[in-house]
Amino acid sequence: MNGTPSTSNPSVNPGQVPGAIHKDPDMVIFGFWVFMMSDLIFFGVVFAIYITMIGATAGGPGPRELFDFGSLFAQTMLLLTSSLTVGIATVTMKHQRSQASFLFWVVVTLILGLGFLTLELYDFSQMAAQGGVPQRSGYLSAFFGLVPLHGLHVSFGCLWMLVLIVQICKVGMLDIIKLRFLRLALFWHFLDLIWIGIFSVVYFGGWVYG
Amino acid sequence: MANKSGYAAHLRTYLTGYVLSVVLTIAAFWAVLAVGRENKSVLILVGLLGVAQLAVQLKCFLNVTTQKEGRDNLALVLFSTLILLIIVVGTAWIMGNLAVRMHTTM
Amino acid sequence: MNEYGWLGKLNWDSLVFSKLITDPSVSEFVASTAGSIVIIATVAILGLLTWFRVWGTLWSEWLTSTDHKRIGIMYIVFALVMMTRGLLEGMVMRAQQAAAPDGFLYADHFAQLFSTHGTIMIFFVAVPFVVGLVNYAMPLQIGARDVAFPVLNQISLAVTVASGILLMVSLVVGEFSTGGWSAYPPYTGGDFNPGVGPDYWIWAIVFSGAGTTLTGINFTVTIIKCRAAGMKFFRMPMFCWTVLCSSILMIFAMPPLSVAALMLGFDRYLDFHFFTNDLGGNMMNYANLFWLFGHPEVYLLVLPAYGIFSEVFSTFSAKRLYGYKSLVIATMSIGVLSFTVWLHHFFTMGQSPTINIVFGIATMLIAVPTGVKVYDWMATMYRGRIRFTTPMIYSIGFLILFVIGGLSGVILANPTVDFQVHNTLFLVAHFHNVLIPGVLFGLLAGYNYWFPKAFGFRLNDKLGRWSAFLWVLGFMLTFFPLYGAGLLGMPRRSFSYMDLTFKPYMLVAFVGAMVVLCALISLVVQLVVSLRDRDKNRVPVGDPWDGRSLEWSIPAPAPSYNFAELPRVTDRDEFTEAKEQGRAYLAPKVYRDIEVPKNNPLGFILCVLSGILMFALVWYIWWLALISAVAIIVAVIASTFRWDSERVIPASQVQEDTEKWLEQVKKSRAVGRDLENTPANVGYAKLEH
Amino acid sequence: MDWKVDTPMGFSQNFIQFFRWFSHFFPRPVLALPVIILFLLNANPTFASESFLMPLGPVAHEQKTHFFWATALTMVAVLPVFILVPIILFKYRRKKGTGIYTPKWEVYGPLEVVMWGVPFLVILVLSVMLWRATISLDPYEEIQGVVPPVKVEVVGLDWKWLFIYPQLEIATVGELVVPVHTPVSMTLTSDTVMQSFLIAALAGQIYVMPGMTTKLNFIATKLGKTQGENTQFTGKGFTDQKFDVLIKNDEDFQAWVAQVRASGIPLNEDTYNRLATRTTREEAHKELATAQMPAQAIYFTLPDASLFQDIVMRYHSGKPLSIEEQPGTEKFGRDKEVEGAQP
Ligand code: HEA
Ligand code: HEA
Ligand code: CUA
Ligand SMILES: [Cu+2]
């Protein structure tokens, strides 16, 4: 594996990670991209199901009754900002700023992610209070099949971040950890992309057509 | 993004992406709330804004570019998008048609 | 959900044997026998392993191995075990239909048979067999040391095996789904099927599907990023192209299946309404999702087989593969087109003719690239020197028979005709006609072809040819009558029928199934005889067939690091060129240390834990499910704390191995192809042209 | 070994040699098999009438024609394989083969064109045929006849078909009677799982699904009797879910209607619920039929013309349907009694 690392990739370019890495970084990152694309299809399929089920409220509460755009906006901003902070962390790592500043940005990202999750859960509980539970209708099943799926990904990202923080505190910034962080950053950005789809299609699309 | 390798330049890329995304998001929210749901064509606008934001984030956050080194990724993303479109559009078409043809007596 | 005790739905009545006690019928007897076989076989295997004290070796050489070659072999062994069950089920079904109208099985039992048979054959025979062969051969063909992510590879195997074991467990505890391999709701929904059957199906599919997706990612990255220097895309062996395409299908086609199965699970477990009758559920979505996966899936299986045939035709015709570029283009078009045709599995759902036309024509279009492939293989043989070895017999059988299967596929692609023969035995005949001559013959050809590379000795060719003939014959007898019965209107999945018109067809098919059984037995005999004669048939030099691609340029069996020095590729038929230009069997200029991944117990641990998790979910044993789920997460996290995952094979060792082998090459006599199947063939091919 | 380069050989000699060589591949006992097969297939030469190969109306007839055409056309591209493969194998076999040997030959432009072109043309022709046939045989399209169509509402139950004739205010199970030369316009639904409705001799199949309706249109042009069925596996009683289809002339049809009216029991909520439990046609017959009804069929009068509508709307109430209210489940109606239904 004779990876000459690419250099054009300012955010996730592993080429500038110094020291020997057992694996060709280029290959590892590409592998993660492929995984994300598979995940993208996974999401895409659930989106498709949601679209076909927008009308299937079966007399239960629909988007008009359930959606809270204020909270939605807050969630969107939290996630978007966390995408920025994870990016800043990447840049600090790449340019070998201090480990403390790197960790700072990771922790900020983590907090923003958790904030997003809290708001989302709160939203769900509000919906449930109005009878908006997945058992109520096909539409709500589709909603709760999709949005929490994204939430689950975010929680997974948070867990990943936690593990990385622990590992960094234990052994410092090994190359292998940097490579892991680069993948985490990709993942996090990817979740933000999915979120654009969610607020456009699930919330706005549902609200307009529901 | 003149100096591609500098710390500040990298940061600037992210900040640009962030600001653009925020603007596009606010625009989408504003469009929906201002126009309301009676005018369904607002969704076209929302869709366009969404696609724009996807492009911005892909470029500034995920650095998918047409440059030589990023081609593998770009090709991958384009191919995935093609499959995604086939799946989503196909499903919507089939299911939409079936929904109409299955409820003609109701 | 608290209506069950701490063992969930599990109790003594769940055991298959207790049903035999309450109802001593033939059907239950057959079921109990099957259950006993599973138990006895398990005990016997465990016993034998202990007796021969091979646990240690098994653990250190196999279960924890991350070597792609070993993982490949384990995949294949697993596939063969599952296949035995699938085949026997096929036999029992044929016997039942031959005996109808007074069969010996209950309807439900028959339904479990075709459901498990279909599920097993597709997900646990064809897929692992393909993945196994690819694992073994592809990295060697592209001149790599391993796949891109060896530990991931191990994990894929682990979850696949765990799901397979779950399926085996369903023979003993509880029952399997009766909904067919496609498991359409609402029939498989909670209202109509409150038992554990569909749950077994769901979890087996979800976990093995995850394994397959990961495999697809792994293979794709391997092919794109790990090729040897100089191996441009258009210098890859054809097999690698088909694998690339098939891996892409795995990446993009598995998600819809996982989504469909999970949503069905949500409906069943949590009272969601994705596919239910009431409250806005829509079962059509399921059909749509399932076939979004299902159609690419069948090409996922057949493409690597096409690749194997390409290798075999060119090797045993001693000729370059004809129309390489055409074949690549054809492969890629099949790959893309396969995402555009899924609706042909439900032409009869009621959508508008326009939609049926679009999908019908898209389906037929696939015949064009496939036809090109068929013609290219013929042109490969044309002006060659064809040797009728076992792999070649399979390939020729494939060429003739597959075309018939493809033809019936094209007929099915006409919505108007499909309206009539959909869900009939005509369809069953079609898909066995493409799956058996297409996929299975390909796998068998690959098995005979690469066996010497993997184990260092050739399989008995005479017995191999016998079994190939029996396969061809048995296949024709078993499945051609089904075309007739289908045209006459016999529905698939019929455990019985009153119309005696069908009887003769069923009898012929039964005879055929017996021939197939003989074919299978002859395969086993071939293996046993070859094992007995292994010392006579060793091919240590590594090139028994005058091979054309890189895997033949190294010793057999291949060393764990594959290549002492990674090759530099200059031609499509690299090894043939090397032999002709005298570049073969040269010592590397320098020997270097080689890093390979260390053994890793993670795969095994995940296999056990995911097996427990699935079982707990099937039986509603929530505490156990929770514990095993948490344990899985902990195990994965813990494994990320291993910092040194590589082991170094010192240059001295590489040098010693290689020099020993080169010595052997010097001592050996090169043989011409006429002596290919004699003990004189030690894997050193004489230049003949 | 030396290679004869294209030795000229007499054609017939070549041919005989070819066959001798070809039969080499099959051991003796194998040659006896065709005889056995022919014997078995002749054991019962009756041709099932439940097949579109014996059509009773134009829809199935066209499907049959299309089937043969599609097969024939596909043959154009497939036959060369059957013919050429043995010849190539014969001529270029390593031992005693007579063909020339060109190990590096790998591409030839004109051949490529043929290889891509021929299948493409065949598919082009097939596509045009497919297009036309699919449009003309759209099952939703009402058949234009001289007389207005008979409307039939079909309900798939476990494990029988219920036919409602709303205009005639009758309903049947196990027997569908249609007048000859009269278009039949069916609307179909299911009151259990998804099923697939097929009368092969008259028209292709169509799925039926709960809460939804599909359509099927056909016309019978021959008097006679055939069978219809469900082809989608639905459990225990699946293979018994058949019904007779009788095509009668107008008079006989009217007589039959009269008979149904006279002997039918009312299809009210109670009878419907008993019908909709998990029973085979035979069991339902035992339970519901009276002595005046034929052995296979149950006749009903239709007090409530909106029955079909109600069945469809069962799934659109906006309220959850408990398992006890869902026809086709074990728990619906009488829970016991279905035991013992074994082959
Ligand atoms: C790969 C897929 C595969 C294969 C190989 C087979 C093989 C066989 N199948 Fe298949 N079958 C299916 C896939 C397959 N089937 C599917 C998907 C269904 C639909 C299920 C449903 O309805 O949902 C089905 C349904 C099905 C039915 C039900 C038909 C119905 O609906 O009425 C029947 C009935 O007899 C049947 C019979 C057989 C028989 C007799 C064989 C055997 O004759 C064939 C023998 C095959 C083998 C013995 C295995 C091959 C050998 C190897 C893999 C290599 C061994 C190698 C070494 C030893 C080194 N099958
Ligand atoms: C390996 C597996 C495999 C392969 C390769 C194929 C190949 C094809 N299949 Fe098949 N199919 C299945 C496995 C496979 N299928 C299975 C498992 C099912 C049923 C699942 C279930 O319901 O349980 C199914 C069902 C199925 C259906 C649905 C029928 C129904 O449910 O009613 C249809 C309909 O269009 C179809 C069509 C085709 C076509 C057109 C091809 C084409 O790819 C074939 C192309 C090949 C040729 C045509 C032959 C060679 C070509 C030439 C010699 C050139 C010239 C030919 C022409 C120009 C015509 N298949
Ligand atoms: Cu409604 Cu299919
Ligand atoms: Cu298909």
Side-chain angles (χ1 to χ4, degrees):
Chain A
M1 284 151 236
N2 54 341
T4 35
S6 62
T7 45
S8 70
N9 215 335
S11 68
V12 287
N13 175 6
Q16 290 145 10
V17 182
I21 294 185
H22 297 284
K23 289 242 164 215
D24 170 8
D26 198 33
M27 178 185 87
V28 172
I29 298 288
F30 182 71
F32 197 74
W33 267 98
V34 178
F35 162 75
M36 288 196 304
M37 291 302 110
S38 185
D39 211 26
L40 175 72
I41 301 294
F42 198 99
F43 271 111
V45 169
V46 187
F47 268 108
I49 294 289
Y50 179 86
I51 292 171
T52 65
M53 288 206 145
I54 281 182
T57 46
R64 304 185 179 200
E65 294 82 30
L66 297 172
F67 289 166
D68 173 356
F69 285 147
S71 167
L72 179 70
F73 186 71
Q75 289 171 44
T76 309
M77 282 305 147
L78 281 175
L79 204 60
L80 189 54
T81 312
S82 77
S83 213
L84 174 69
T85 56
V86 89
I88 297 177
T90 319
V91 179
T92 18
M93 181 183 87
K94 211 160 274 165
H95 292 271
Q96 295 163 46
R97 300 286 152 136
S98 73
Q99 184 170 317
S101 67
F102 170 72
L103 276 180
F104 170 78
W105 288 112
V106 177
V107 172
V108 170
T109 311
L110 181 60
I111 292 171
L112 288 170
L114 291 175
F116 167 84
L117 283 174
T118 318
L119 259 187
E120 184 164 66
L121 282 178
Y122 173 76
D123 249 19
F124 292 160
S125 71
Q126 289 296 302
M127 287 174 73
Q130 297 170 58
V133 290
Q135 287 77 7
R136 180 58 190 86
S137 69
Y139 169 75
L140 284 162
S141 294
F143 177 89
F144 280 100
L146 178 50
V147 183
L149 178 70
H150 175 270
L152 204 64
H153 276 72
V154 176
S155 330
F156 176 73
C158 290
L159 181 65
W160 189 352
M161 232 177 278
L162 260 173
V163 172
L164 277 184
I165 293 173
V166 171
Q167 291 183 336
I168 290 170
C169 293
K170 249 185 90 175
V171 296
M173 294 289 278
L174 292 185
D175 289 339
I176 186 171
I177 292 187
K178 289 187 182 167
L179 208 48
R180 282 182 191 157
F181 179 75
L182 289 180
R183 277 177 279 173
L184 170 64
L186 277 180
F187 184 66
W188 204 265
H189 291 316
F190 167 71
L191 290 182
D192 204 22
L193 291 186
I194 298 290
W195 187 256
I196 299 174
I198 289 189
F199 74 70
S200 306
V201 175
V202 175
Y203 283 92
F204 294 157
W207 187 66
V208 172
Y209 271 96
Chain B
M1 289 177 283
N3 178 5
K4 272 191 166 21
S5 49
Y7 174 71
H10 280 177
L11 268 188
R12 207 157 42 237
T13 313
Y14 276 104
L15 282 170
T16 322
Y18 180 69
V19 171
L20 281 175
S21 296
V22 169
V23 170
L24 289 166
T25 305
I26 292 177
F29 273 78
W30 174 82
V32 169
L33 294 178
V35 178
R37 63 169 159 247
E38 274 57 54
N39 191 348
K40 295 204 186 315
S41 53
V42 68
L43 276 184
I44 298 174
L45 186 59
V46 170
L48 288 177
L49 289 169
V51 171
Q53 193 175 159
L54 285 176
V56 166
Q57 295 206 3
L58 272 173
K59 183 153 172 45
C60 299
F61 291 176
L62 286 148
N63 277 280
V64 176
T65 55
T66 51
Q67 275 150 6
K68 195 146 179 277
E69 291 85 350
R71 284 248 174 99
D72 277 353
N73 284 355
L74 184 68
L76 179 72
V77 170
L78 287 181
F79 183 76
S80 311
T81 313
L82 172 72
I83 302 294
L84 188 72
L85 282 180
I86 293 176
I87 289 178
V88 175
V89 174
T91 299
W93 186 32
I94 296 168
M95 288 302 150
N97 180 267
L98 278 167
V100 173
R101 305 241 305 179
M102 298 250 153
H103 299 291
T104 40
T105 53
M106 291 171 36
Chain C
M1 282 189 220
N2 292 330
E3 52 199 296
Y4 306 107
W6 65 280
L7 270 181
K9 291 176 166 181
L10 202 58
N11 59 40
W12 284 117
D13 294 335
S14 320
L15 279 183
V16 67
F17 308 105
S18 59
K19 287 186 204 118
L20 181 62
I21 295 164
T22 48
D23 171 21
S25 61
V26 182
S27 191
E28 292 299 349
F29 182 73
V30 173
S32 287
T33 312
S36 318
I37 292 177
V38 173
I39 295 177
I40 292 170
T42 314
V43 172
I45 291 172
L46 295 183
L48 282 177
L49 290 175
T50 317
W51 179 259
F52 289 109
R53 296 169 194 279
V54 284
W55 280 109
T57 336
L58 191 65
W59 175 258
S60 59
E61 299 282 308
W62 295 94
L63 298 182
T64 57
S65 173
T66 47
D67 181 348
H68 70 96
K69 298 185 287 304
R70 300 199 171 222
I71 289 180
I73 291 169
M74 285 190 279
Y75 259 116
I76 294 174
V77 170
F78 168 71
L80 289 180
V81 171
M82 298 307 285
M83 184 214 65
T84 313
R85 175 169 171 199
L87 171 90
L88 290 177
E89 287 172 332
M91 298 297 151
V92 176
M93 284 192 286
R94 291 267 48 93
Q96 162 79 5
Q97 287 189 338
D102 6 74
F104 53 93
L105 298 177
Y106 290 165
D108 266 359
H109 189 176
F110 184 81
Q112 285 182 46
L113 282 176
F114 66 68
S115 306
T116 38
H117 168 83
T119 308
I120 286 180
M121 283 299 195
I122 300 277
F123 297 105
F124 298 103
V125 176
V127 170
F129 209 130
V130 167
V131 171
L133 278 180
V134 174
N135 246 316
Y136 193 88
M138 183 268 286
L140 295 179
Q141 284 201 330
I142 60 172
R145 292 230 186 282
D146 205 325
V147 292
F149 307 107
V151 179
L152 194 68
N153 202 12
Q154 201 192 30
I155 295 175
S156 310
L157 171 67
V159 287
T160 311
V161 170
S163 327
I165 293 176
L166 185 77
L167 235 78
M168 287 302 198
V169 168
S170 78
L171 268 182
V172 183
V173 194
E175 77 278 318
F176 196 72
S177 170
T178 54
W181 80 291
S182 46
Y184 274 12
Y187 179 70
T188 50
D191 279 2
F192 295 94
N193 251 309
V196 294
D199 300 331
Y200 268 120
W201 183 88
I202 289 170
W203 297 116
I205 292 305
V206 168
F207 278 77
S208 71
T212 310
T213 316
L214 296 179
T215 301
I217 295 172
N218 212 339
F219 288 166
T220 307
V221 179
T222 309
I223 292 183
I224 293 185
K225 298 283 181 188
C226 304
R227 276 165 293 133
M231 182 171 276
K232 301 191 182 120
F233 274 115
F234 277 90
R235 284 186 190 156
M236 290 200 299
M238 199 53 220
F239 180 64
C240 296
W241 272 108
T242 58
V243 170
L244 176 61
C245 201
S246 172
S247 313
I248 292 175
L249 295 188
M250 292 184 197
I251 296 166
F252 294 108
M254 297 312 288
L257 175 69
S258 306
V259 170
L262 281 172
M263 285 180 169
L264 184 58
F266 277 123
D267 278 3
R268 290 179 58 85
Y269 281 79
L270 298 172
D271 195 23
F272 276 42
H273 292 277
F274 285 111
F275 313 126
T276 55
N277 285 355
D278 56 340
L279 292 182
N282 183 352
M283 73 278 312
M284 297 186 293
N285 267 334
Y286 180 93
N288 184 62
L289 283 184
F290 185 85
W291 294 115
L292 263 170
F293 142 81
H295 188 84
E297 163 82 5
V298 301
Y299 291 105
L300 182 169
L301 297 177
V302 87
L303 283 173
Y306 290 164
I308 295 171
F309 291 128
S310 302
E311 305 288 296
V312 167
F313 278 125
S314 111
T315 305
F316 294 102
S317 306
K319 193 161 158 283
R320 270 176 109 83
L321 187 62
Y322 176 88
Y324 178 88
K325 290 232 167 81
S326 267
L327 282 168
V328 170
I329 296 171
T331 305
M332 286 298 153
S333 3
I334 292 177
V336 174
L337 279 176
S338 73
F339 282 105
T340 63
V341 303
W342 74 92
L343 180 127
H344 67 215
H345 293 276
F346 49 94
F347 277 143
T348 52
M349 187 103 92
Q351 61 277 24
S352 71
T354 317
I355 295 185
N356 277 350
I357 289 169
V358 169
F359 281 88
I361 291 178
T363 305
M364 296 218 274
L365 274 180
I366 297 187
V368 178
T370 316
V372 170
K373 279 178 165 268
V374 169
Y375 299 147
D376 278 347
W377 290 318
M378 286 163 60
T380 301
M381 294 193 290
Y382 176 69
R383 291 185 174 175
R385 284 179 182 175
I386 303 166
R387 315 191 307 266
F388 295 97
T389 53
T390 309
M392 197 63 179
I393 303 284
Y394 278 115
S395 306
I396 294 163
F398 152 79
L399 208 52
I400 302 278
L401 293 178
F402 181 81
V403 163
I404 300 173
L407 188 154
S408 62
V410 173
I411 291 170
L412 283 168
N414 290 277
T416 36
V417 180
D418 186 71
F419 278 145
Q420 281 289 352
V421 288
H422 176 59
N423 271 345
T424 67
L425 287 185
F426 187 88
L427 169 62
V428 174
H430 157 70
F431 67 70
H432 283 94
N433 198 346
V434 277
L435 280 167
I436 293 179
V439 181
L440 285 177
F441 283 13
L443 296 174
L444 284 169
Y447 159 76
N448 278 278
Y449 181 63
W450 280 309
F451 190 91
K453 178 59 40 180
F455 296 101
F457 58 95
R458 278 174 293 113
L459 288 168
N460 186 312
D461 195 58
K462 189 153 181 232
L463 283 167
R465 267 179 300 174
W466 256 100
S467 104
F469 285 131
L470 285 175
W471 274 114
V472 172
L473 183 78
F475 163 76
M476 293 201 286
L477 284 178
T478 315
F479 293 104
F480 285 169
L482 301 194
Y483 279 122
L487 287 175
L488 296 184
M490 178 161 168
R492 74 191 288 197
R493 299 172 177 169
S494 302
F495 60 90
S496 181
Y497 47 87
M498 293 317 259
D499 188 341
L500 288 181
T501 326
F502 303 133
K503 184 99 178 175
Y505 294 90
M506 296 301 116
L507 289 176
V508 175
F510 181 66
V511 173
M514 290 298 118
V515 178
V516 167
L517 192 61
C518 297
L520 185 76
I521 293 171
S522 67
L523 267 181
V524 176
V525 173
Q526 183 204 22
L527 187 63
V528 172
V529 169
S530 312
L531 270 173
R532 192 194 64 197
D533 300 342
R534 63 185 178 279
D535 286 330
K536 269 201 299 197
N537 294 323
R538 289 213 190 270
V539 288
V541 176
D543 179 25
W545 315 125
D546 192 7
R548 311 180 72 83
S549 40
L550 286 174
E551 77 266 35
W552 305 109
S553 69
I554 55 171
S560 63
Y561 44 83
N562 295 355
F563 298 90
E565 182 189 39
L566 288 180
R568 181 164 286 278
V569 178
T570 58
D571 191 84
R572 194 177 296 147
D573 284 349
E574 173 63 18
F575 190 48
T576 299
E577 289 298 307
K579 281 187 280 190
E580 284 174 2
Q581 299 165 7
R583 285 192 281 113
Y585 308 115
L586 296 183
K589 281 178 224 70
V590 284
Y591 291 97
R592 288 200 191 80
D593 288 354
I594 295 174
E595 271 190 355
V596 293
K598 270 189 185 163
N599 278 11
N600 196 328
L602 183 63
F604 183 78
I605 294 172
L606 288 188
C607 178
V608 172
L609 288 177
S610 58
I612 296 176
L613 172 61
M614 287 187 273
F615 186 79
L617 285 170
V618 167
W619 290 98
Y620 289 48
I621 311 174
W622 305 121
W623 58 270
L624 187 58
L626 191 69
I627 292 177
S628 43
V630 172
I632 287 177
I633 296 172
V634 170
V636 171
I637 292 179
S639 80
T640 64
F641 281 81
R642 282 168 58 117
W643 303 115
D644 53 335
S645 51
E646 316 277 305
R647 150 178 89 90
V648 172
I649 299 177
S652 57
Q653 160 115 48
V654 178
Q655 182 164 13
E656 194 191 319
D657 293 355
T658 314
E659 280 170 1
K660 215 157 90 197
W661 173 62
L662 289 172
E663 198 55 36
Q664 174 121 42
V665 175
K666 282 217 193 71
K667 276 195 316 218
S668 306
R669 187 166 70 94
V671 299
R673 292 304 95 201
D674 293 326
L675 300 176
E676 190 167 48
N677 286 310
T678 63
N681 181 0
V682 292
Y684 193 8
K686 184 157 87 189
L687 279 186
E688 293 199 322
H689 31 273
Chain D
M1 85 173 334
D2 63 321
W3 285 86
K4 292 170 265 172
V5 178
D6 275 324
T7 355
M9 215 202 282
F11 181 73
S12 60
Q13 201 187 339
N14 227 325
F15 217 69
I16 292 167
Q17 207 186 334
F18 171 73
F19 270 107
R20 197 170 297 150
W21 168 81
F22 200 70
S23 59
H24 228 77
F25 283 97
F26 302 96
R28 281 293 145 65
V30 169
L31 296 175
L33 266 164
V35 184
I36 302 178
I37 297 164
L38 281 180
F39 177 76
L40 279 173
L41 287 183
N42 267 317
N44 197 338
T46 47
F47 220 58
S49 56
E50 298 76 49
S51 164
F52 72 116
L53 299 180
M54 305 271 282
L56 294 173
V59 176
H61 191 271
E62 243 181 89
Q63 284 167 328
K64 176 182 165 186
T65 320
H66 191 144
F67 170 73
F68 283 122
W69 269 107
T71 313
L73 271 170
T74 330
M75 282 296 174
V76 174
V78 165
L79 270 183
V81 179
F82 294 147
I83 297 168
L84 289 176
V85 167
I87 293 180
I88 291 178
L89 290 180
F90 174 67
K91 191 153 179 215
Y92 299 99
R93 76 211 138 125
R94 182 183 163 83
K95 290 187 186 143
K96 297 197 214 139
T98 56
I100 56 168
Y101 176 47
T102 55
K104 305 267 171 193
W105 182 67
E106 59 176 344
V107 69
Y108 177 53
L111 193 56
E112 293 288 294
V113 175
V114 175
M115 284 176 173
W116 284 94
V118 170
F120 188 78
L121 287 180
V122 173
I123 294 303
L124 201 68
V125 177
L126 274 170
S127 300
V128 174
M129 277 181 52
L130 178 151
W131 188 310
R132 295 219 176 122
T134 308
I135 298 235
S136 76
L137 293 184
D138 178 8
Y140 274 47
E141 206 56 40
E142 262 186 28
I143 311 265
Q144 300 304 320
V146 230
V147 276
V150 185
K151 286 208 183 335
V152 183
E153 293 166 339
V154 182
V155 185
L157 299 169
D158 273 336
W159 290 285
K160 51 221 153 298
W161 292 102
L162 168 66
F163 302 103
I164 301 172
Y165 295 74
Q167 299 151 321
L168 306 172
E169 296 181 339
I170 56 170
T172 62
V173 163
E175 188 177 276
L176 172 73
V177 179
V178 293
V180 72
H181 294 305
T182 312
V184 179
S185 170
M186 288 184 157
T187 308
L188 308 90
T189 191
S190 164
D191 205 5
T192 168
V193 300
M194 184 166 103
Q195 305 182 339
S196 188
F197 180 86
L198 172 65
I199 309 173
L202 286 172
Q205 59 198 292
I206 192 95
Y207 286 171
V208 302
M209 286 152 284
M212 308 177 219
T213 56
T214 42
K215 287 174 190 256
L216 187 64
N217 288 279
F218 57 83
I219 182 168
T221 47
K222 282 190 198 143
L223 294 179
K225 182 176 167 183
T226 179
Q227 221 181 38
E229 63 192 340
N230 164 26
T231 63
Q232 177 78 35
F233 183 79
T234 50
K236 252 186 235 161
F238 162 63
T239 45
D240 291 331
Q241 195 172 349
K242 314 254 191 239
F243 54 91
D244 294 329
V245 181
L246 306 176
I247 304 162
K248 296 184 189 272
N249 62 28
D250 261 348
E251 266 161 58
D252 290 350
F253 181 70
Q254 291 310 335
W256 175 79
V257 171
Q259 189 202 344
V260 174
R261 283 205 182 113
S263 60
I265 54 173
L267 186 58
N268 50 29
E269 198 180 328
D270 174 52
T271 36
Y272 179 78
N273 281 344
R274 285 163 70 187
L275 196 63
T277 49
R278 268 188 165 199
T279 51
T280 59
R281 172 177 66 164
E282 216 168 303
E283 288 156 351
H285 190 270
K286 240 179 251 155
E287 189 182 331
L288 290 171
T290 60
Q292 290 97 315
M293 301 178 194
Q296 296 286 347
I298 317 174
Y299 292 157
F300 300 98
T301 56
L302 194 66
D304 177 10
S306 70
L307 176 66
F308 185 81
Q309 205 59 23
D310 297 343
I311 293 170
V312 176
M313 291 314 287
R314 181 199 301 281
Y315 302 99
H316 296 277
S317 66
K319 285 192 217 70
L321 203 62
S322 76
I323 190 167
E324 290 81 12
E325 301 164 287
Q326 169 66 60
T329 62
E330 300 256 6
K331 297 211 171 134
F332 181 76
R334 315 149 299 170
D335 347 74
K336 282 279 164 195
E337 262 182 56
V338 263
E339 240 73 315
Q342 281 144 16

